[in-house]
Amino acid sequence: MKGLRLLGDYALEFLVVTLLLAISALLIIPFIPMVTGVTGFFRTDINTRRFKDIFVTIGKNIKIIIFYTLFQLVIIVFPVLNIYFFNTHPENTNYFVLAISCVALFVGVVYLVTAPTVIVNMNVKLRQLFYNGIMLLFGGFIRSIAALACAAGVVALILFYPYVLPVTLYAVPYAVSKLMNENFYVLKAKALKTSVFELKKQEKEDGYLDEIGEENEKI
């Protein structure tokens, strides 16, 4: 019975998260805030997370999310449109613009992978977000490559096979958030000279304190 309940929980999550991300992607502007909210949602165990955590995460971090969204809209949307145009109209290809678009898109993908985890776990300003977003990649080389590959795969689908995109809207954010959150634990453990195990243990204890009314602030 427990296995069936867990399967049902994942199925419901898949439907709700996919629907929220699909709608926000169609509207474009809400997509980045929703990705950040979903990252906060996936940060906790499936037995304790609630769908309202998505919107609570957005609300708590709305100021930095606004600036982050504007940055991502410029550095991802316009390069994607340029690349898509050149791909469908090769006779009009401007290789200088194409090269700049590819570089900008890569930077955008890096921050799409790292920034939501930084926002969820830390109180940062935009400059600190950029710095910590890069530093987060050094929490684990293999995990970082895997997360970047997932995000790059989604961008490739947008450019070449957009009709396949909906099936990735749950799996990719889930995988990326788990990989980047593990990187965050590694870096935080090094900074505090402790172990990842001890950090996670302390987090569970803090979560219990939250339930009885204590306040647990982000670092």
Side-chain angles (χ1 to χ4, degrees):
M1 291 297 293
K2 184 178 179 180
L4 287 176
R5 183 187 64 80
L6 192 61
L7 181 62
D9 288 343
Y10 275 114
L12 180 61
E13 276 193 5
F14 174 83
L15 291 174
V16 173
V17 170
T18 298
L19 181 61
L20 288 174
L21 286 173
I23 292 173
S24 65
L26 288 174
L27 297 174
I28 299 177
I29 293 177
F31 182 68
I32 298 301
M34 191 59 64
V35 169
T36 306
V38 167
T39 300
F41 173 72
F42 284 140
R43 185 174 180 269
T44 55
D45 184 80
I46 189 170
N47 295 311
T48 58
R49 59 186 180 236
R50 300 159 295 179
F51 291 123
K52 77 172 188 177
D53 294 340
I54 297 173
F55 303 99
V56 170
T57 299
I58 296 172
K60 283 183 176 179
N61 302 284
I62 190 63
K63 290 183 179 179
I64 186 64
I65 286 175
I66 289 173
F67 291 111
Y68 171 56
T69 298
L70 293 174
F71 168 76
Q72 287 292 69
L73 286 176
V74 172
I75 207 165
I76 286 184
V77 173
F78 288 112
V80 165
L81 292 176
N82 284 337
I83 295 170
Y84 181 78
F85 176 78
F86 292 145
N87 184 57
T88 54
H89 300 81
E91 68 279 4
N92 295 321
T93 300
N94 182 318
Y95 290 101
F96 176 76
V97 174
L98 180 60
I100 295 297
S101 297
C102 288
V103 172
L105 186 57
F106 175 76
V107 173
V109 168
V110 168
Y111 284 111
L112 186 63
V113 165
T114 61
T117 297
V118 174
I119 292 172
V120 166
N121 288 283
M122 304 178 71
N123 289 316
V124 292
K125 295 182 179 180
L126 191 61
R127 180 178 61 82
Q128 295 167 325
L129 177 62
F130 291 152
Y131 173 77
N132 286 293
I134 294 298
M135 293 305 298
L136 190 61
L137 295 175
F138 294 94
F141 179 74
I142 300 299
R143 286 189 296 268
S144 297
I145 293 297
L148 289 171
C150 287
V154 171
V155 173
L157 288 177
I158 292 172
L159 290 171
F160 302 108
Y161 305 102
Y163 51 85
V164 183
L165 188 63
V167 301
T168 70
L169 291 178
Y170 177 84
V172 171
Y174 179 86
V176 169
S177 67
K178 293 298 181 183
L179 291 167
M180 289 296 98
N181 206 49
E182 197 64 26
N183 276 14
F184 177 80
Y185 278 125
V186 170
L187 293 175
K188 186 177 178 181
K190 287 181 179 179
L192 297 177
K193 301 187 185 320
T194 184
S195 68
V196 171
F197 174 79
E198 288 297 327
L199 278 180
K200 291 183 177 180
K201 179 182 176 182
Q202 184 62 48
E203 187 177 88
K204 288 184 179 180
E205 292 173 355
D206 290 343
Y208 173 74
L209 289 175
D210 284 347
E211 291 297 321
I212 62 173
E214 297 292 333
E215 191 70 23
N216 181 27
E217 296 289 341
K218 295 188 293 183
I219 63 171

